[in-house]
């Protein structure tokens, strides 16, 4: 039904290199967008918060499903699959890193071929298949959390890892397109909708955290106390429901139309190729036309070597395949993101710890809440979600209006200022985690529990709350800031790629975390010494690791500050 309508839109809605339906100018029309039939859309009839609410609901379900796996994955690996703490942590980081790098592939498919809407549908089907196979794999490995059938066979292990990486592929197509598609429901050229779009990123993360908290409270308890198969099966059902909700809102959405431009990846690749080919070509003193001269001289100063893509190989601008000024500017816009992307890795390494060592750390403490009820260790991540849920309304409704009055900026503070502030808070969270871990080790030593890793350390779980809350506040500032920054600063045809760039920061951070863990584990476990990540955490030294991450965060922030201060926004603002 809806998909067939979309397929019949003249030359393909949301696709580059195709003729777009003519959009009439008007106060209520939205240029560059069509409805599900391919007709001109109007603000009063489509898009806005009504359409975004369907997509946000899908995001809540997707986050519920994804964290139904990732939040407690280390427990499954060290439990039914029998892996060591270090190996499990490395596998978790590798999988989560892959899951957050695959959006680059999903964005390429969406921005070049399928469009965001159809990519979300295809990715959802892959996602559901992966979750179904994962549920089947869990039934083969164990029938409950307390009864392990036997040592898992090679087939069972292979099926399990195939399933979770299939989920990663599904997430890779779903995640960048859902967020970009949701933001597309607001017209950035309209003053009212422009403010709504900025607020959209805050509330997107707010409701994402609601979905994450639900799975941390409900699914982790089911996985730890009832059944792993049930714990993986419920996310499969939820993800199927999410696909139905997405289809339900199809008639209300605005679908992007990119006109008759060439494929954006082809255009950018051509700019780089032509600039390299013309590297020895000197621009003529006199340009053939006024417009060409303006393109050469007004193209901003950063990455000036790309300006040579405007020249023909012989030094003349008369060439039917010569790159346009817009092509060059779009390429520069992407390259400008690279320093910010790289200097955000330190933050991403810290981000990776909340689902690995934070969880193992909490498992050793007294987790009793009331009478005989113990909170599952992985459910401690709900404190991050609660911090996000509490802080986002405060930030959006109180901090932003106050800052807006002081700075006269629509968003209160710039996107880069927001990201940098979160990096500082993230570094403080690592200092806090190191101090708490030192206290935990001291308590274990005082009570003679150093060689009794299965005995609960007489120290309340509430000691970990500050580091989780600080991580949540850092996420509101840095993660949401990166989402908006990467969406806003890339060419409009590449906004799925922009979102995937933000996600790839977290992916690279997970790989770097895995690399650090492997190197440090190897370096500190020789000569009869206990590794920093020993299975017996009472003899391990997570505190050393947290101090190391705090130092890396400080260095990363200084590098980020250097590049951020000289960054020129595509809209002409600076930090």
């Amino acid at each position: 039904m809806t998909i067939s309508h979309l397929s019949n839109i003249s030359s393909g809605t949301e696709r580059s290199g195709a003729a777009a339906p003519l959009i009439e100018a008007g106060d209520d029309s939205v240029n560059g967008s069509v409805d599900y039939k391919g007709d001109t859309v109007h603000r009063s009839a489509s898009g806005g918060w009504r359409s975004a609410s369907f997509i946000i609901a899908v995001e809540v379900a997707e986050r519920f499903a994804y964290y139904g796996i990732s939040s407690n994955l280390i427990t499954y690996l060290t439990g039914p699959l029998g892996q060591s703490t270090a190996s499990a942590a490395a596998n978790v980081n590798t999988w989560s890193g892959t899951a957050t790098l695959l959006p680059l592939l999903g964005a390429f498919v969406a921005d070049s071929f399928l469009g965001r809407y159809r990519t979300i549908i295809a990715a959802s089907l892959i996602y559901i298949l992966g979750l179904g196979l994962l549920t089947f794999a869990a039934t083969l490995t164990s029938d409950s959390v307390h009864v392990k059938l036997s040592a898992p066979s090679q087939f069972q292990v292979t099926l399990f890892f195939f399933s979770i990486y299939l989920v990663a592929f599904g997430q890779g197509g779903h995640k960048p397109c859902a967020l970009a598609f949701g933001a597309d429901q607001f017209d950035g050229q309209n003053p009212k909708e422009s403010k709504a779009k900025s607020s959209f990123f805050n509330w997107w993360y707010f409701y994402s955290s609601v979905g994450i908290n639900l799975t941390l409270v409900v699914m982790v308890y089911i996985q730890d106390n009832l059944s792993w198969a049930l714990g993986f099966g419920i996310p499969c059902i939820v993800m199927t429901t999410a696909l139905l909700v997405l289809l339900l809102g199809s008639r209300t959405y605005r679908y992007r139309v990119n006109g008759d431009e060439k494929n954006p990846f082809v255009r950018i690749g051509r700019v780089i190729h032509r600039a390299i080919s013309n590297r020895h070509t000197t621009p003529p003193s006199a340009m053939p036309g006024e417009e060409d001269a303006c393109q050469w001289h007004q193209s901003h100063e950063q990455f000036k070597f790309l300006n040579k893509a405007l020249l023909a190989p012989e030094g003349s601008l008369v060439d039917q395949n010569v790159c346009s000024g817009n092509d060059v500017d779009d390429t520069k816009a992407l390259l400008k993101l690279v320093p910010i992307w790289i200097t955000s890795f330190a933050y991403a390494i810290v981000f990776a710890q909340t689902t690995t060592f934070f969880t193992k750390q909490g498992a050793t403490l007294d987790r009793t809440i009331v009478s005989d009820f113990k909170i599952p260790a992985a459910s401690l991540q709900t404190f991050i979600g609660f911090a996000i849920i509490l802080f986002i309304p405060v930030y959006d409704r109180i901090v932003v209006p106050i800052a807006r009055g002081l700075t006269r900026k629509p968003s209160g503070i710039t996107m880069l200022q927001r990201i940098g502030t979160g990096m500082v808070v993230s570094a403080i969270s690592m200092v806090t985690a190191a101090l708490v871990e030192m206290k935990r080790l001291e308590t274990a030593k005082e009570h003679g529990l150093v060689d009794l890793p299965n005995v609960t350390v007489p120290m309340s779980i509430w000691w970990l709350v500050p580091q989780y809350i600080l991580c949540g506040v850092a996420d509101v500032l840095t993660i949401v800031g990166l989402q908006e920054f990467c969406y806003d600063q890339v060419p409009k045809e590449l906004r799925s790629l922009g979102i995937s760039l933000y996600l790839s920061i977290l992916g690279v951070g997970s790989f770097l975390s895995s690399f650090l863990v492997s190197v440090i584990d190897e370096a500190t476990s020789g000569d009869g010494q206990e590794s920093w990540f020993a299975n017996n955490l009472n003899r391990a030294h997570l505190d050393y690791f947290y101090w190391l991450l705090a130092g890396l965060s400080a260095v990363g922030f200084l590098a980020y500050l250097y590049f951020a201060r000289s960054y020129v926004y595509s809209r002409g603002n600076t930090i």
Side-chain angles (χ1 to χ4, degrees):
M1 57 179 228
T2 303
I3 300 178
S4 62
H5 275 304
L6 290 172
S7 299
N8 292 328
I9 291 176
S10 177
S11 298
T13 297
E14 297 189 280
R15 294 179 63 174
S16 298
L22 179 63
I23 305 297
E24 299 176 358
D27 290 339
D28 190 46
S29 64
V30 182
N31 289 327
S33 296
V34 296
D35 64 12
Y36 76 105
K37 292 182 179 179
D39 298 329
T40 302
V41 297
H42 299 275
R43 292 187 183 88
S44 58
S46 67
W49 285 110
R50 180 182 62 167
S51 299
S53 62
F54 284 101
I55 305 169
I56 289 175
V58 172
E59 170 69 5
V60 172
E62 189 277 331
R63 290 293 85 187
F64 181 94
Y66 180 78
Y67 276 84
I69 298 173
S70 67
S71 62
N72 211 21
L73 183 57
I74 193 169
T75 303
Y76 188 85
L77 293 177
T78 56
L81 291 192
Q83 296 186 348
S84 68
T85 299
S87 296
N91 278 324
V92 170
N93 285 327
T94 300
W95 175 76
S96 61
T98 302
T100 43
L101 283 177
L102 281 172
L104 291 169
L105 175 61
F108 173 77
V109 171
D111 289 339
S112 299
F113 304 106
L114 294 181
R116 288 162 197 153
Y117 177 78
R118 288 190 289 273
T119 302
I120 295 171
I121 293 175
S124 296
L125 294 174
I126 296 173
Y127 215 133
I128 293 167
L129 176 60
L131 289 170
L133 290 175
L134 181 61
T135 303
F136 176 64
T139 62
L140 296 179
T141 306
S142 61
D143 60 359
S144 77
V145 297
H146 303 294
V147 181
K148 186 174 178 180
L149 297 181
S150 61
S153 66
Q154 186 60 44
F155 170 76
Q156 292 169 340
V157 173
T158 301
L159 178 62
F160 174 81
F161 279 102
F162 174 77
S163 301
I164 62 173
Y165 276 94
L166 196 60
V167 169
F169 268 94
Q171 196 254 183
H174 193 285
K175 188 65 177 173
C177 297
L179 179 51
F181 189 53
D184 286 345
Q185 305 310 307
F186 302 91
D187 181 9
Q189 303 304 313
N190 178 270
K192 183 178 179 180
E193 291 198 16
S194 179
K195 286 185 178 180
K197 177 180 281 190
S198 181
S199 184
F200 164 78
F201 287 98
N202 289 326
W203 293 105
W204 175 273
Y205 203 58
F206 174 89
Y207 286 108
S208 294
S209 298
V210 170
I212 293 169
N213 269 15
L214 281 174
T215 196
L216 292 175
V217 171
V218 178
M219 299 314 305
V220 171
Y221 178 83
I222 291 174
Q223 291 166 355
D224 281 359
N225 296 277
L226 298 178
S227 166
W228 283 103
L230 182 61
F232 292 145
I234 292 176
C236 183
I237 297 172
V238 170
M239 198 63 206
T240 303
T241 305
L243 177 58
L244 297 177
V245 171
L246 176 71
L247 296 173
L248 187 63
S250 297
R251 292 174 179 265
T252 74
Y253 301 143
R254 296 174 186 171
Y255 301 91
R256 294 290 305 174
V257 176
N258 292 330
D260 57 359
E261 302 98 340
K262 287 186 173 65
N263 185 299
F265 293 96
V266 172
R267 292 192 295 110
I268 290 169
R270 186 177 62 174
V271 168
I272 296 173
H273 176 264
R274 292 298 293 267
I276 294 173
S277 299
N278 295 341
R279 63 188 181 278
H280 299 306
T281 303
T282 303
S285 55
M287 298 290 180
E290 239 179 80
E291 183 179 347
D292 295 326
C294 183
Q295 283 183 353
W296 178 271
H297 293 295
Q298 290 188 1
S299 188
H300 54 72
E301 295 298 310
Q302 290 181 306
F303 304 106
K304 285 190 68 175
F305 70 92
L306 290 176
N307 292 354
K308 290 195 174 184
L310 296 169
L311 301 173
E314 297 80 13
S316 169
L317 287 177
V318 181
D319 185 346
Q320 62 178 356
N321 292 319
V322 74
C323 301
S324 69
N326 285 337
D327 292 343
V328 172
D329 286 340
D330 286 351
T331 305
K332 290 181 177 181
L334 281 180
L335 291 182
K336 284 193 304 178
L337 299 181
V338 173
I340 303 299
W341 184 75
I342 292 174
T343 54
S344 299
F345 290 162
Y347 171 85
I349 294 174
V350 172
F351 184 87
Q353 308 315 310
T354 58
T355 57
T356 53
F357 292 123
F358 277 23
T359 300
K360 298 300 291 183
Q361 188 181 16
T364 67
L365 301 181
D366 181 4
R367 293 176 281 119
T368 303
I369 303 299
V370 288
S371 61
D372 294 330
F373 177 75
K374 287 188 176 183
I375 182 173
S379 291
L380 295 173
Q381 296 168 52
T382 55
F383 291 120
I384 295 178
F386 287 138
I388 292 171
I389 291 171
L390 292 174
F391 187 62
I392 283 181
V394 172
Y395 181 84
D396 192 71
R397 301 302 182 188
I398 299 177
V399 176
V400 170
I402 293 175
R404 189 181 293 150
L406 295 174
T407 65
R408 305 297 179 188
K409 297 180 182 294
S411 58
I413 60 175
T414 67
M415 292 175 279
L416 290 176
Q417 287 171 338
R418 177 176 183 167
I419 294 167
T421 303
M423 289 180 174
V424 173
V425 176
S426 178
I428 295 173
S429 74
M430 282 296 96
V431 172
T432 304
L435 293 174
V436 170
E437 178 61 9
M438 290 173 66
K439 172 66 176 176
R440 191 193 69 81
L441 291 174
E442 181 182 342
T443 302
K445 185 176 181 180
E446 287 176 353
H447 290 80
L449 302 177
V450 172
D451 294 315
L452 298 173
N454 295 323
V455 178
T456 299
V457 176
M459 180 174 164
S460 174
I461 195 66
W462 298 110
W463 279 87
L464 296 182
V465 172
Q467 68 197 56
Y468 278 106
I469 290 178
L470 287 170
C471 285
V473 173
D475 288 355
V476 171
L477 295 168
T478 297
I479 295 295
V480 180
L482 283 170
Q483 287 177 352
E484 185 174 5
F485 177 75
C486 291
Y487 176 89
D488 185 77
Q489 294 297 296
V490 299
K492 64 181 180 180
E493 302 94 337
L494 294 174
R495 281 175 169 167
S496 297
L497 176 66
I499 297 301
S500 71
L501 286 175
Y502 128 72
L503 291 168
S504 70
I505 291 172
L506 304 180
V508 174
S510 291
F511 281 118
L512 290 176
S513 176
S514 179
F515 174 76
L516 277 176
V517 169
S518 298
V519 171
I520 293 172
D521 184 54
E522 183 71 23
T524 59
S525 59
D527 299 327
Q529 299 294 316
E530 291 284 355
S531 165
W532 284 11
F533 313 111
N535 290 336
N536 179 0
L537 289 188
N538 295 337
R539 285 196 171 276
H541 275 292
L542 291 183
D543 54 334
Y544 293 172
F545 184 57
Y546 292 152
W547 283 119
L548 174 63
L549 294 186
L552 287 176
S553 296
V555 173
F557 172 71
L558 292 176
Y560 168 85
L561 188 62
Y562 173 80
F563 290 106
R565 287 179 64 85
S566 60
Y567 183 88
V568 178
Y569 284 89
S570 296
R571 294 176 180 175
N573 300 318
T574 56
I575 189 170

